[in-house]
Amino acid sequence: QGQLVEFGGGLVQPGGSLRLSCVASGLSLDFYNIGWFRQAPGKEREAVSCISNGRGDTYYADSVKDRFTISRDIAKRTVYLQMNTLKPEDTGVYYCGATSAWLGTIEPTCATRYFPTWGQGTQVTVSS
């Protein structure tokens, strides 16, 4: 089973930007769907964005559409999450996950229960 490591979290003011990176080892982005999830204090982990293997189909939660962009560099085994116009409600621990599961399209696949492999998480705090 592969491993995932996240980088790029930090403290940013509302309206600012951050780019998160998820580096995979022991698994290929050609065969695994990768997702970004977040967990705020006292809340369940929720899906933010996912990208499929192969064609690279993408899914975004409504709360981040038009602000966040997921992308990947297969050769570098890295998936990125560019986060713009950040809001305080974006605060949380951001995790990347990997799964070989596929529910027909990326949207239903992008759910925590289908992701068995996780990174350790990186904290994102949006505050003035």
Side-chain angles (χ1 to χ4, degrees), residues 33 50 52 55 57-59 101-110:
N33 308 302
C50 290
S52 70
R55 298 191 312 182
D57 294 337
T58 58
Y59 162 80
W102 183 247
L103 276 70
T105 64
I106 189 62
E107 181 172 348
T109 303
C110 196

Side-chain angles (χ1 to χ4, degrees), residues 58-127:
T58 58
Y59 162 80
Y60 297 94
D62 287 344
S63 58
V64 306
K65 277 180 183 175
D66 301 323
R67 299 190 298 122
F68 291 11
T69 303
I70 192 169
S71 62
R72 64 183 181 177
D73 185 328
I74 293 177
K76 292 184 178 179
R77 297 193 175 192
T78 302
V79 175
Y80 304 97
L81 186 68
Q82 177 66 43
M83 306 186 295
N84 298 328
T85 320
L86 282 160
K87 304 176 181 180
E89 51 263 43
D90 295 317
T91 294
V93 179
Y94 282 68
Y95 299 89
C96 66
T99 185
S100 58
W102 183 247
L103 276 70
T105 64
I106 189 62
E107 181 172 348
T109 303
C110 196
T112 56
R113 60 184 174 274
Y114 300 123
F115 282 72
T117 302
W118 296 96
Q120 83 288 349
T122 186
Q123 176 71 44
V124 172
T125 302
V126 185
S127 174

Side-chain angles (χ1 to χ4, degrees), residues 35-62:
W36 284 100
F37 299 78
R38 67 187 179 192
Q39 189 165 17
K43 295 188 176 181
E44 292 187 354
R45 193 173 299 186
E46 64 176 1
V48 174
S49 180
C50 290
I51 187 165
S52 70
N53 60 18
R55 298 191 312 182
D57 294 337
T58 58
Y59 162 80
Y60 297 94
D62 287 344

